[in-house]
Each structure stands twice: as C-alpha cells, then as structure tokens.
Amino acid sequence: MALLSTTDFPLIIEKINDFSHGRIDLHTHTHCSDGSLSPQTLIDRAVNYQIDVIAITDHDTLAGIDIAQRYITEQNSPITLISGVEISAVWQNFEIHLVGHNFDKNNDQLLQLITNQQQAREQRAVTIGEKLAKCGFPDAYDDAKKSAGAGSITRAHFARVLFAQGHVSTMQKAFDQYLGKKGRTSQKAYVKPTWCSIEQAVNAIHVASGSVVMAHPIRYDLTAKWLRRLIVHFKESAGDGLEIVLPQMNPQQRQTMLNYCLEYDLHASTGSDFHQPNKWSDLGKNLILPDGVKPVWALWS
Ligand code: AMP
Ligand code: MN
Ligand code: MN
Ligand code: MN
C-alpha cells in the first residue's frame, strides 16, 4: 500500500491510510440496485469483517447512501461510509461502468443525470420484457420489476427471474442466451441501452466534487488494443483512475492494470463489487492496492 502523509489530509484519509490492509471496500451493491442485502445488512456485514471504510456504489442510484448513513449513525457503527455510485455509460457501442466516489449527493447536475439514467433503465426494462415475452416468458417484466421493487432495475433482475423459473440453469446462461452481448453479437433479449457518455458521467461526478474511476477494466469484452483506446478516451474525458484490484484477479492481470495506471498517470481504486454472499469473494477480501500506485482517496483531501 502506498501510504500518504496523513498530516495533509482530513480524518477520513488518516483512517484509510492507517489500516493494516484489507479494511477498505470501494465497490459494493445493495438491494437498492441488484445486490441482495439491504444497506443496513451490508453495513452489519462490513462491520463484522472489520472494514473501516466502505462505499455503496449501486447502479445509477444514490438511494442506499442515506439509508446506510442513518443506520451507521443510529447504531454508532465503527465504519466510515463514502458516497458512491456506479454509472453505466456507452462508448463505441460498449457498456462501460464508471464508479464515482466522495461526491456531494445533493448536487443538481448529478441528480439530473441519475434521473435520466433511471428513465433509460425503466425503458430498457420494458423493451427487454417485450423481447422475453416473444421468447415465451410473458411474465418476465412483471417479475423482474417486483424483485427490483423501488430500486434500480437491472438485467441481473431479469437473469434471476429466468434462473428461478428454471428457464436457464445459471445466471451466466441467462446472459449468454438472452440478455447479453458478446463482442458485436447480441442475444435474443438484448436491448441497446441509451446510457450517458463517459464524458457526461465524469463531468457530473466532478461537478459534484467527487472522483471517478473506470470500474473493472478487466471485465469488458475488449482486446488489449481496444482497452487501451478506452483508457485513453477515459483519460481525455478527465477520468481520475482505474479500479485495478478486484477479487479473483490473477497476478498477470494485476500487473497489467498496475502498468496502465502508471503509464497513463491514473489513480487506483479497489473494491469487491459485492452483490451477495458467495463462496468466491466477500466484502473487503483481497483488496490491497499494489505499491507504487496513487490511491484514489489521495484525491479526497
Ligand atoms: P445492467 O446494469 O442492467 O446492464 O445489469 C448488469 C448487471 O448484471 C451487472 O452489474 C452484473 O451484476 C450483472 N451481470 C452482468 N453480466 C453478468 C453475467 N454474465 N452473469 C451474472 N451477472 C451478470
Ligand atoms: Mn450489478
Ligand atoms: Mn459493473
Ligand atoms: Mn458493480
């Protein structure tokens, strides 16, 4: 971990830099989008795991932040919550996720972008439902909507419905057969989204005084050449950093991501992308940043 001089930073930064490894998680989901836990249960789990600093980064919604913060205050929980969001953007026909941190969640421009993204989500969900109905699943939209409740509706909700009703044997197959897009090939119920651009997302978070990292660069279905193009575009759009540490990365992937940060002078972030308890990863596990990178929280002075 690259430790910063704590004297220059407010208490929260001191707290993060003071941790003896593994007690930070800057990418998590709750049932306000496609996570399975409530914000309160997520906070309890994080406290159990002795996580000092957590960001809730639900898809295109800020709804979980206040709920979690109220709970932390009520319970006097020993954890610091950072405002967070994962914004979906479109670039060159690819869906790219951007994680914003430590922003003013009452900023009008950011709230407007969130409203637009919510409308795009709702419209896309309706069209996905129509396509799935044509595939023989007439109730898919209603069931997915019910499972999303008041939260942000995602393809993961549709995938769970198809899985729960036995139409596919895994969530992955729901994406492979119906909801996903691999390279330039779309599946039967894929709907081209109308997300904002990378520039718009970065700008909205910056206007709200936050920082922006590109989420999970290793997970996009891009060749090395296209990933570089994406990183160059992100950098030109004033993006601040890359999420270079996720659970289940191999050493070579870790090294490649570290190299991109150094080569393009970008900060580094780390997070589990926790959605639900499973046996492969959990909150705050294996999330130590490598030496030599500038952590994204260095921007939060
Ligand atoms: P959306 O933002 O509506 O496009 O939904 C994408 C969400 O679905 C992601 O955030 C993941 O949580 C989940 N997801 C995407 N691809 C897969 C996959 N292949 N298997 C399981 N879940 C996936
Ligand atoms: Mn998700
Ligand atoms: Mn994502
Ligand atoms: Mn995520």
Side-chain angles (χ1 to χ4, degrees), residues 27 59 86 97 215-216 219 273:
H27 188 159
H59 296 285
E86 181 169 14
H97 291 180
H216 43 65
R219 288 211 206 124
D273 201 6

mmCIF file with all atom_site columns, all heavy atoms in Angstrom, residues 27 59 86 97 215-216 219 273, ligand 3:
data_model
loop_
_atom_site.group_PDB
_atom_site.id
_atom_site.type_symbol
_atom_site.label_atom_id
_atom_site.label_alt_id
_atom_site.label_comp_id
_atom_site.label_asym_id
_atom_site.label_entity_id
_atom_site.label_seq_id
_atom_site.pdbx_PDB_ins_code
_atom_site.Cartn_x
_atom_site.Cartn_y
_atom_site.Cartn_z
_atom_site.occupancy
_atom_site.B_iso_or_equiv
_atom_site.pdbx_formal_charge
_atom_site.auth_seq_id
_atom_site.auth_comp_id
_atom_site.auth_asym_id
_atom_site.auth_atom_id
_atom_site.pdbx_PDB_model_num
ATOM   1  N  N   . HIS A 1 27  ? -16.405 -0.634 -3.674  1.00 0.00 ? 27  HIS A N   1
ATOM   2  C  CA  . HIS A 1 27  ? -17.353 -1.021 -4.733  1.00 0.00 ? 27  HIS A CA  1
ATOM   3  C  C   . HIS A 1 27  ? -18.266 -2.115 -4.199  1.00 0.00 ? 27  HIS A C   1
ATOM   4  O  O   . HIS A 1 27  ? -17.876 -3.279 -4.122  1.00 0.00 ? 27  HIS A O   1
ATOM   5  C  CB  . HIS A 1 27  ? -16.564 -1.502 -5.963  1.00 0.00 ? 27  HIS A CB  1
ATOM   6  C  CG  . HIS A 1 27  ? -17.421 -1.750 -7.176  1.00 0.00 ? 27  HIS A CG  1
ATOM   7  N  ND1 . HIS A 1 27  ? -16.901 -1.759 -8.455  1.00 0.00 ? 27  HIS A ND1 1
ATOM   8  C  CD2 . HIS A 1 27  ? -18.754 -1.990 -7.316  1.00 0.00 ? 27  HIS A CD2 1
ATOM   9  C  CE1 . HIS A 1 27  ? -17.874 -2.008 -9.322  1.00 0.00 ? 27  HIS A CE1 1
ATOM   10 N  NE2 . HIS A 1 27  ? -19.008 -2.154 -8.658  1.00 0.00 ? 27  HIS A NE2 1
ATOM   11 N  N   . HIS A 1 59  ? -26.040 0.692  -8.902  1.00 0.00 ? 59  HIS A N   1
ATOM   12 C  CA  . HIS A 1 59  ? -26.143 1.073  -10.312 1.00 0.00 ? 59  HIS A CA  1
ATOM   13 C  C   . HIS A 1 59  ? -27.103 2.247  -10.493 1.00 0.00 ? 59  HIS A C   1
ATOM   14 O  O   . HIS A 1 59  ? -28.319 2.113  -10.295 1.00 0.00 ? 59  HIS A O   1
ATOM   15 C  CB  . HIS A 1 59  ? -26.665 -0.100 -11.140 1.00 0.00 ? 59  HIS A CB  1
ATOM   16 C  CG  . HIS A 1 59  ? -25.748 -1.286 -11.156 1.00 0.00 ? 59  HIS A CG  1
ATOM   17 N  ND1 . HIS A 1 59  ? -24.593 -1.325 -11.893 1.00 0.00 ? 59  HIS A ND1 1
ATOM   18 C  CD2 . HIS A 1 59  ? -25.817 -2.483 -10.517 1.00 0.00 ? 59  HIS A CD2 1
ATOM   19 C  CE1 . HIS A 1 59  ? -23.992 -2.505 -11.715 1.00 0.00 ? 59  HIS A CE1 1
ATOM   20 N  NE2 . HIS A 1 59  ? -24.723 -3.218 -10.876 1.00 0.00 ? 59  HIS A NE2 1
ATOM   21 N  N   . GLU A 1 86  ? -22.319 3.623  -9.219  1.00 0.00 ? 86  GLU A N   1
ATOM   22 C  CA  . GLU A 1 86  ? -21.753 3.019  -10.433 1.00 0.00 ? 86  GLU A CA  1
ATOM   23 C  C   . GLU A 1 86  ? -22.645 3.434  -11.594 1.00 0.00 ? 86  GLU A C   1
ATOM   24 O  O   . GLU A 1 86  ? -23.818 3.042  -11.662 1.00 0.00 ? 86  GLU A O   1
ATOM   25 C  CB  . GLU A 1 86  ? -21.692 1.483  -10.307 1.00 0.00 ? 86  GLU A CB  1
ATOM   26 C  CG  . GLU A 1 86  ? -21.076 0.819  -11.536 1.00 0.00 ? 86  GLU A CG  1
ATOM   27 C  CD  . GLU A 1 86  ? -20.757 -0.660 -11.327 1.00 0.00 ? 86  GLU A CD  1
ATOM   28 O  OE1 . GLU A 1 86  ? -21.237 -1.261 -10.340 1.00 0.00 ? 86  GLU A OE1 1
ATOM   29 O  OE2 . GLU A 1 86  ? -20.034 -1.226 -12.177 1.00 0.00 ? 86  GLU A OE2 1
ATOM   30 N  N   . HIS A 1 97  ? -18.686 0.834  -17.203 1.00 0.00 ? 97  HIS A N   1
ATOM   31 C  CA  . HIS A 1 97  ? -19.152 1.261  -15.883 1.00 0.00 ? 97  HIS A CA  1
ATOM   32 C  C   . HIS A 1 97  ? -18.145 2.199  -15.229 1.00 0.00 ? 97  HIS A C   1
ATOM   33 O  O   . HIS A 1 97  ? -16.942 1.940  -15.245 1.00 0.00 ? 97  HIS A O   1
ATOM   34 C  CB  . HIS A 1 97  ? -19.383 0.041  -14.978 1.00 0.00 ? 97  HIS A CB  1
ATOM   35 C  CG  . HIS A 1 97  ? -20.549 -0.790 -15.417 1.00 0.00 ? 97  HIS A CG  1
ATOM   36 N  ND1 . HIS A 1 97  ? -20.943 -1.939 -14.767 1.00 0.00 ? 97  HIS A ND1 1
ATOM   37 C  CD2 . HIS A 1 97  ? -21.427 -0.618 -16.445 1.00 0.00 ? 97  HIS A CD2 1
ATOM   38 C  CE1 . HIS A 1 97  ? -22.014 -2.438 -15.382 1.00 0.00 ? 97  HIS A CE1 1
ATOM   39 N  NE2 . HIS A 1 97  ? -22.317 -1.664 -16.403 1.00 0.00 ? 97  HIS A NE2 1
ATOM   40 N  N   . ALA A 1 215 ? -14.710 1.286  -13.669 1.00 0.00 ? 215 ALA A N   1
ATOM   41 C  CA  . ALA A 1 215 ? -14.925 0.027  -12.944 1.00 0.00 ? 215 ALA A CA  1
ATOM   42 C  C   . ALA A 1 215 ? -14.333 -1.149 -13.724 1.00 0.00 ? 215 ALA A C   1
ATOM   43 O  O   . ALA A 1 215 ? -14.326 -1.136 -14.958 1.00 0.00 ? 215 ALA A O   1
ATOM   44 C  CB  . ALA A 1 215 ? -16.418 -0.199 -12.722 1.00 0.00 ? 215 ALA A CB  1
ATOM   45 N  N   . HIS A 1 216 ? -13.862 -2.123 -13.000 1.00 0.00 ? 216 HIS A N   1
ATOM   46 C  CA  . HIS A 1 216 ? -13.407 -3.423 -13.519 1.00 0.00 ? 216 HIS A CA  1
ATOM   47 C  C   . HIS A 1 216 ? -12.958 -3.441 -14.984 1.00 0.00 ? 216 HIS A C   1
ATOM   48 O  O   . HIS A 1 216 ? -13.603 -4.105 -15.821 1.00 0.00 ? 216 HIS A O   1
ATOM   49 C  CB  . HIS A 1 216 ? -14.492 -4.489 -13.300 1.00 0.00 ? 216 HIS A CB  1
ATOM   50 C  CG  . HIS A 1 216 ? -15.908 -4.056 -13.611 1.00 0.00 ? 216 HIS A CG  1
ATOM   51 N  ND1 . HIS A 1 216 ? -16.331 -3.732 -14.866 1.00 0.00 ? 216 HIS A ND1 1
ATOM   52 C  CD2 . HIS A 1 216 ? -16.986 -3.881 -12.804 1.00 0.00 ? 216 HIS A CD2 1
ATOM   53 C  CE1 . HIS A 1 216 ? -17.612 -3.401 -14.835 1.00 0.00 ? 216 HIS A CE1 1
ATOM   54 N  NE2 . HIS A 1 216 ? -18.033 -3.471 -13.595 1.00 0.00 ? 216 HIS A NE2 1
ATOM   55 N  N   . ARG A 1 219 ? -12.977 -6.683 -17.047 1.00 0.00 ? 219 ARG A N   1
ATOM   56 C  CA  . ARG A 1 219 ? -14.186 -7.457 -17.351 1.00 0.00 ? 219 ARG A CA  1
ATOM   57 C  C   . ARG A 1 219 ? -14.842 -7.096 -18.679 1.00 0.00 ? 219 ARG A C   1
ATOM   58 O  O   . ARG A 1 219 ? -15.790 -7.749 -19.087 1.00 0.00 ? 219 ARG A O   1
ATOM   59 C  CB  . ARG A 1 219 ? -15.219 -7.277 -16.239 1.00 0.00 ? 219 ARG A CB  1
ATOM   60 C  CG  . ARG A 1 219 ? -14.817 -7.981 -14.985 1.00 0.00 ? 219 ARG A CG  1
ATOM   61 C  CD  . ARG A 1 219 ? -16.060 -8.457 -14.228 1.00 0.00 ? 219 ARG A CD  1
ATOM   62 N  NE  . ARG A 1 219 ? -15.738 -8.567 -12.829 1.00 0.00 ? 219 ARG A NE  1
ATOM   63 C  CZ  . ARG A 1 219 ? -16.393 -7.945 -11.867 1.00 0.00 ? 219 ARG A CZ  1
ATOM   64 N  NH1 . ARG A 1 219 ? -17.440 -7.178 -12.139 1.00 0.00 ? 219 ARG A NH1 1
ATOM   65 N  NH2 . ARG A 1 219 ? -16.015 -8.089 -10.620 1.00 0.00 ? 219 ARG A NH2 1
ATOM   66 N  N   . ASP A 1 273 ? -16.953 -5.357 -5.614  1.00 0.00 ? 273 ASP A N   1
ATOM   67 C  CA  . ASP A 1 273 ? -18.146 -5.461 -6.468  1.00 0.00 ? 273 ASP A CA  1
ATOM   68 C  C   . ASP A 1 273 ? -19.110 -6.489 -5.860  1.00 0.00 ? 273 ASP A C   1
ATOM   69 O  O   . ASP A 1 273 ? -19.727 -7.287 -6.561  1.00 0.00 ? 273 ASP A O   1
ATOM   70 C  CB  . ASP A 1 273 ? -17.769 -5.828 -7.906  1.00 0.00 ? 273 ASP A CB  1
ATOM   71 C  CG  . ASP A 1 273 ? -18.852 -5.448 -8.907  1.00 0.00 ? 273 ASP A CG  1
ATOM   72 O  OD1 . ASP A 1 273 ? -19.847 -4.808 -8.506  1.00 0.00 ? 273 ASP A OD1 1
ATOM   73 O  OD2 . ASP A 1 273 ? -18.701 -5.786 -10.097 1.00 0.00 ? 273 ASP A OD2 1
HETATM 74 MN MN  . MN  B 2 .   ? -20.067 -3.076 -13.096 1.00 0.00 ? 3   MN  B MN  1
#
